Amino acid sequence: MTATPLFFALERQGIATDATIFANLGTAPLVEHALRNGEGQLAKDGPLVVETGKHTGRSAKDKFIVRDAETEDTIWWGKTNVGMTPAHFAALKADFLAAVAAKNKLYVADLFGGSQPEHRVNVRVINEFAWHNLFVHTLLVRPSAAELAAFAPEYTIIDLPSFRADPARHGCRSETVIAVNFTEKLVLIGGTAYAGEMKKSVFGILNYLLPTQGIMPMHCSANIGADNKTAVFFGLSGTGKTTLSADASRTLIGDDEHGWSDTAVFNFEGGCYAKMIRLSPEAEPEIFATTKRFGTILENVVIDPETRELDFDDASLAENSRGSYPIDFIPNASEKNLGPVPANVIMLTADAYGVLPPIARLTPEQAMYHFLSGYTARVAGTEIGVTEPEATFSTCFGAPFMPRHPSVYGNLLKERIAKGGVRCWLVNTGWSGGKATMPGIKRMPIKATRALLNAALDGSLNDAEFRKDPNFGFEVPVAVPGVETRLLDPRGAWADPAEYDATAEDLVRKFVANFAEFEAHVDEGVRQAAPVATVAA
């Protein structure tokens, strides 16, 4: 039974069920359903608060791509993109459809992945949880009523947290599975209640489709200045993509996933997905304000059962607590979720070794080198077992979501930088004066980062005096108004310069070792952009 109509019925997709279908509900009814189903509770100021259970982040090792004639020569197979046989997927699909058939209610959302009409994909998402349907309704691009009246899905995601996969029958690793079939245009997600799997599945689809159209898909945030110039911010989780793009003085295009076409930077999504742990109104006022609004979903944020007050400093449920909200909850968001092609590319890293400067100017070759490297560092205390800084390299600043070979995305970036005369910057939002684990060493002040970014984006930083970093070869400003000079010289900020040199040499070796797999796929100019360990005079 369909409680709300679908233009393209599930039966036409081969999905049979006696469940009551709630299709394309809005925010308020989905919140009501979630509360009635016991899936969450309302916080004091209106957001829906939910828990995701044991899965508080992506299950990267449980993701598979069906290896068949379509994908054999187009996927970058390896530790990130792991194959599943067509036979195993067929068994998994049969069991998923049986599980769907047995449900008494289902939630369906028809949405767009991509805000630029000529480059978007029609995605149907089928959920057993109302809050998951609300999440995907919030995070993807919402069609108009007229578009829904003629909506035909191209890709379908079936998301069943209650499903338990069988490794022997389904060719997977555990009871949790994320299986992507590009031939059948079907994604099956089971055994996890972490909602981010859905949004990243759509990101993976677009990362597969768009390069064949000459579109650069990017794991980045993006915003526009008063001069109508766009900046994109590449970066892994925790480096500041969402925080730095939510700048009251600039127009937000989006916080996480974008495409770079010949005419625009366009958001893949219609919402934001921000980290909530230790969120403060002083450091991130725009994001903090969303936690006091009806329509925001807060995952694994601790809530007082009596007062319904939120505690963003409590990590007992998850270090990776999250909030999702419509992009228009940010006051200065772009109405169309798109803007001009970029004038500046920012690559963010949180260097826990205290080696990298807070900002550096990159040549196009250096930009491609650091894009393919995708460096950041994990810090003790944020993950179990991490007691010292640990270098993390995720090519293209998003390896888990890049199905094609990194050189495909790297060459697209290089071409677009050259075509647009784009300025490129590396920004370290990590630590200065020592390793993050050393007593008294603090993270880069966000005010200093914003001051440096503003100078880069308004063009004034180009007039500064620069020095060449002896290890990485990029240009570092010597002095910038409003920024303490000591922050600009990482070596000088260390109490023991010799210890800095040894740490820098170790980090350089990590960069070089990581880049070895890409050397055959880049030209000599990019190879020459590699760092070289040099003890400073």
Side-chain angles (χ1 to χ4, degrees), residues 43 45 47 49 275-281 287-292 296 298-303 309-316 318-319 321-323:
D45 296 303
V49 182
K275 279 199 167 188
M276 292 287 120
I277 195 66
R278 291 176 286 279
L279 183 71
S280 79
I287 297 172
F288 189 85
T290 69
T291 68
K292 295 182 174 293
T296 292
L298 299 176
E299 296 175 42
N300 303 314
V301 173
V302 173
I303 181 173
E309 295 277 359
L310 301 168
D311 186 350
F312 296 106
D313 295 325
D314 189 336
S316 59
E319 181 72 27
S321 56
R322 292 273 180 169

Side-chain angles (χ1 to χ4, degrees), residues 194-278:
Y194 180 66
E197 297 286 10
M198 292 180 286
K199 108 184 199 80
K200 290 306 184 188
S201 293
V202 176
F203 189 33
I205 290 167
L206 289 164
N207 286 337
Y208 182 74
L209 297 176
L210 293 181
T212 63
Q213 304 171 33
I215 309 300
M216 171 70 185
M218 303 177 290
H219 187 214
C220 71
S221 57
N223 62 25
I224 311 166
D227 55 4
N228 202 38
K229 291 183 178 179
T230 297
V232 298
F233 301 79
F234 289 102
L236 300 174
S237 179
T239 58
K241 281 198 323 299
T242 299
T243 299
L244 294 171
S245 60
D247 184 330
S249 67
R250 298 176 64 83
T251 300
L252 178 68
I253 300 174
D255 79 323
D256 197 36
E257 302 167 4
H258 294 82
W260 184 346
S261 70
D262 288 338
T263 58
V265 167
F266 62 98
N267 195 348
F268 288 169
E269 303 181 304
C272 300
Y273 196 34
K275 279 199 167 188
M276 292 287 120
I277 195 66
R278 291 176 286 279

